[in-house]
Amino acid sequence: MKIEGKNYRTIWFENNEVKIIDQTKLPHKFVIKSLKNIKDAINAIKTMEVRGAPLIGATAAYGLVLSIIEKNDLSFLKKSSEDLISSRPTAINLKWAVDRMMKKLSGVNNSDILKIALDEAKSITEEDVKFCKNIGINGLKIIEEISKKKKDVVNILTHCNAGWLATIDWGTATSPIYHAHQKGIKVHIWVDETRPRNQGANLTSYELNEEKIPNTIITDNTGGILMQRGKIDMCIVGTDRTLSNGDVCNKIGTYLKALSAKDNNVPFYVALPSSTIDWNIKDHKQIPIEERNSEELSHVEGIDENNNLKRVRIYPQKSKSLNLAFDVTPAKLVTGLITEKGICEASEQGLKGLFK
Ligand code: MRU
């Protein structure tokens, strides 16, 4: 997708380095950063220079490429893979990508390993682009239907950033929106600010602006009244881990939005590539929910009148705070799952019908 009219992807390999768009600087500064070794890759994931389930999976895959360039040694590679998996706990794509890479590399000669690793990391990214594009083509049908019935602008609410910045291109939740816009369907997006890190305001609104899609940022508490007043036609969100029973784990606050959508008969869709399905965990209480530094709540960052990035504390110094990054929306609140293979019910039967 585009930034200032130029097409970008979120990650690419160039001159033995991995290039990323540093998302901690957006929307105020557009900075391309080079990851030169495994430590850089792990740090980029931990500090959220790259974030979003599919993108951290791709970064982990390229991280293993960097590990091989740094030291072509099996025990170093194993340690790199373990460190990558533990760099963020909730999104399953991280483990999925590392496991896929390690399977491909098992038993490979030292002389061939770099080429094979690079090819596999590239195919993980290319596959994600294809899958996200298909999610868009499939989800477009839902927006088209609402538009035909309503004969007016379709208002869609989204939470966090499940846009192209969270993937390699297109995004998951945003892909149907981009496809609808490209087809000339009038859409307007309600963008949840998504505290504490504001990925909605900082990233989703930014990328929609760059694609000239009308959008309005709202606080995370505003969706309820907008739904009660008929201002939201549908919700589309992403997911970091989808259980085989259709429960979805996504950015904190998604669950409350789904409850509100249910109470107001607003369709609530979750868009995902199959790389976010966890076929093993059966009970959502077993999903490791990331708890991040409470300073992400107590401090905010922004730009001052002189264009300088500033970070300020907004909480009383003595107050405690809890920063859980994700919550779980039970399948019963999900209208449907939009995947690369089609749309299905949020249930074991629905997912197995498409993927097994
Ligand atoms: O903490 P983040 O910014 O990595 O969380 C991202 C989300 O919750 C996204 O909705 C999810 O990864 C889906 S991305 C297509």
Side-chain angles (χ1 to χ4, degrees):
M1 306 304 290
K2 291 192 188 69
I3 293 177
E4 290 190 0
K6 191 175 163 201
N7 269 310
Y8 284 93
R9 283 188 174 183
T10 51
I11 191 164
W12 64 98
F13 190 76
E14 199 178 290
N15 299 329
N16 272 5
E17 293 177 354
V18 175
K19 306 282 183 189
I20 57 157
I21 299 168
D22 181 353
Q23 300 194 19
T24 61
K25 303 282 188 301
L26 292 174
H28 306 297
K29 292 196 167 116
F30 179 74
V31 177
I32 292 173
K33 187 168 175 177
S34 296
L35 309 181
K36 299 189 168 109
N37 50 45
I38 180 68
K39 221 170 126 197
D40 287 350
I42 290 168
N43 186 54
I45 296 171
K46 278 189 175 160
T47 60
M48 294 174 67
E49 287 168 352
V50 287
R51 28 67 53 203
L55 179 56
I56 58 179
T59 308
Y62 277 117
L64 291 176
V65 172
L66 293 174
S67 165
I68 295 166
I69 294 172
E70 201 177 334
K71 192 170 168 189
N72 192 342
D73 168 88
L74 193 57
S75 56
F76 186 66
L77 187 64
K78 273 196 179 141
K79 171 85 173 76
S80 301
S81 71
E82 285 158 15
D83 291 349
L84 281 165
I85 288 176
S86 60
S87 59
R88 286 195 77 191
T90 302
I92 190 69
N93 301 59
L94 199 47
K95 183 171 174 338
W96 169 85
V98 170
D99 287 351
R100 175 166 159 175
M101 291 289 288
M102 293 304 277
K103 194 167 164 206
K104 191 80 187 179
L105 301 178
S106 109
V108 168
N109 292 333
N110 271 12
S111 51
D112 301 328
I113 197 164
L114 179 58
K115 182 181 178 320
I116 293 177
L118 190 52
D119 285 351
E120 192 64 5
K122 279 188 185 154
S123 59
I124 285 174
T125 55
E126 289 308 323
E127 195 179 281
D128 190 68
V129 175
K130 202 172 87 192
F131 285 2
C132 285
K133 187 169 180 193
N134 285 342
I135 287 169
I137 294 167
N138 294 329
L140 166 65
K141 292 170 206 147
I142 304 167
I143 302 177
E144 249 174 343
E145 229 168 77
I146 296 174
S147 160
K148 267 187 207 149
K149 262 196 209 148
K150 196 180 169 193
K151 297 189 177 61
D152 202 350
V153 180
V154 181
N155 289 300
I156 303 170
L157 177 137
T158 191
H159 190 70
C160 192
N161 174 260
W164 75 270
L165 289 167
T167 64
I168 315 301
D169 209 352
W170 292 105
T172 59
T174 54
S175 188
I177 294 168
Y178 288 133
H179 279 82
H181 179 71
Q182 286 178 4
K183 231 187 145 183
I185 298 170
K186 285 202 165 58
V187 289
H188 164 262
I189 315 304
W190 295 109
V191 177
D192 274 354
E193 181 186 35
T194 321
R195 277 283 285 153
R197 292 183 65 97
N198 296 336
Q199 293 99 321
N202 289 343
L203 304 175
T204 305
S205 182
Y206 170 78
E207 63 165 84
L208 292 172
N209 291 342
E210 295 298 311
E211 290 291 332
K212 305 193 172 21
I213 298 188
N215 68 91
T216 308
I217 299 169
I218 50 177
T219 70
D220 297 337
N221 310 322
T222 306
I225 181 111
L226 292 178
M227 290 187 208
Q228 284 174 329
R229 306 261 159 121
K231 304 279 187 206
I232 298 177
D233 298 304
M234 71 184 293
C235 304
I236 320 180
V237 300
T239 160
D240 288 82
R241 197 186 284 238
T242 313
L243 300 195
S244 58
N245 67 2
D247 288 354
V248 288
C249 181
N250 191 49
K251 181 55 52 184
I252 195 86
T254 303
Y255 172 44
L256 294 179
K257 229 31 71 78
L259 279 172
S260 177
K262 186 79 175 176
D263 194 42
N264 291 285
N265 284 323
V266 172
F268 189 91
Y269 286 94
V270 180
L272 61 127
S274 48
S275 54
T276 69
I277 304 173
D278 181 340
W279 296 102
N280 297 317
I281 287 187
K282 299 289 173 213
D283 178 352
H284 77 76
K285 293 203 180 91
Q286 289 167 356
I287 300 174
I289 300 290
E290 179 176 11
E291 185 179 340
R292 295 186 62 85
N293 194 315
S294 63
E295 284 197 3
E296 289 184 346
L297 270 72
S298 59
H299 291 66
V300 288
E301 197 176 75
I303 201 146
D304 71 9
E305 58 282 2
N306 299 318
N307 243 9
N308 294 319
L309 271 181
K310 270 211 172 129
R311 187 169 174 269
V312 294
R313 182 165 51 76
I314 54 169
Y315 285 3
Q317 205 149 17
K318 289 183 186 164
S319 298
K320 272 201 216 152
S321 48
L322 171 70
N323 184 11
L324 297 182
F326 298 95
D327 63 21
V328 179
T329 301
K332 65 180 180 195
L333 300 179
V334 177
T335 309
L337 301 173
I338 309 170
T339 79
E340 75 267 16
K341 286 207 176 171
I343 300 165
C344 71
E345 189 185 79
S347 68
E348 182 138 15
Q349 212 187 359
L351 280 168
K352 281 196 171 157
L354 289 181
F355 294 104
K356 289 250 161 152

